[in-house]
Amino acid sequence: MKSVTIYDCSVIEIDKHHHEKGNLSVIENGKSIPFEVNRVFYLYDIPGGEERGAHAHKECHQFLIAVSGSFDILLDDGETKRIVTLNRPYMGLHIPPGIWAGELGFSSGSVCLVLASHPYDADDYLRDYDDFLEYIR
């Protein structure tokens, strides 16, 4: 596996169409984000102070969007850590495989939309931090 760093994670502005009756943002496979979307899910009703995620993927790319409210994502490549705040529904964060990520600091009523490159596969997850460090080395 190619060694990835937190600097391979990128915030991408989503195509936004402004209209006086409300805005519309569009994500298209092969155009808006650097992978084909094969799974979509979202996190919501997250109690204050709770954290989500805290895992890495071996092959799956993810693209996270704060479609409502805001939250932080702690990115970790095993050597360097970085926090990215998402708080605009037309901005998203691409997380490539091999990056440990956890969502935290959810505002009240926030919704995190996740677009994934792969269908769910429990074997693709690295849920233990020590296993993650061993995998990337």
Side-chain angles (χ1 to χ4, degrees):
M1 175 178 132
K2 172 187 136 344
S3 179
V4 295
T5 73
I6 58 168
Y7 303 106
D8 293 309
C9 300
S10 54
V11 174
I12 298 171
E13 186 168 349
I14 301 163
D15 193 18
K16 181 173 102 172
H17 303 275
H18 178 73
H19 191 277
E20 64 271 2
K21 294 182 180 179
N23 297 326
L24 170 73
S25 287
V26 177
I27 298 171
E28 296 178 306
N29 270 336
K31 181 177 177 186
S32 307
I33 57 177
F35 60 86
E36 295 287 317
V37 177
N38 284 293
R39 181 167 58 120
V40 177
F41 61 94
Y42 50 97
L43 310 170
Y44 59 97
D45 291 343
I46 301 157
E50 287 297 317
E51 298 180 6
R52 297 297 310 246
H55 64 266
H57 288 277
K58 298 173 186 173
E59 295 185 25
C60 185
H61 290 255
Q62 292 190 317
F63 189 71
L64 282 62
I65 305 164
V67 293
S68 180
S70 66
F71 54 88
D72 296 326
I73 300 102
L74 174 62
L75 302 169
D76 181 344
D77 60 19
E79 293 184 16
T80 307
K81 295 179 181 177
R82 170 182 165 208
I83 291 181
V84 173
T85 300
L86 292 179
N87 57 9
R88 302 280 188 268
Y90 56 87
M91 301 296 285
L93 175 66
H94 171 230
I95 304 172
I99 297 291
W100 185 269
E103 298 84 46
L104 49 116
F106 288 89
S107 67
S108 178
S110 61
V111 177
C112 172
L113 176 66
V114 181
L115 309 177
S117 65
H118 289 67
Y120 177 79
D121 177 1
D123 292 334
D124 185 56
Y125 283 75
L126 295 162
R127 298 183 189 275
D128 179 83
Y129 189 73
D130 289 334
D131 291 344
F132 162 70
L133 292 177
E134 185 176 319
Y135 178 80
I136 61 172
R137 293 197 183 4

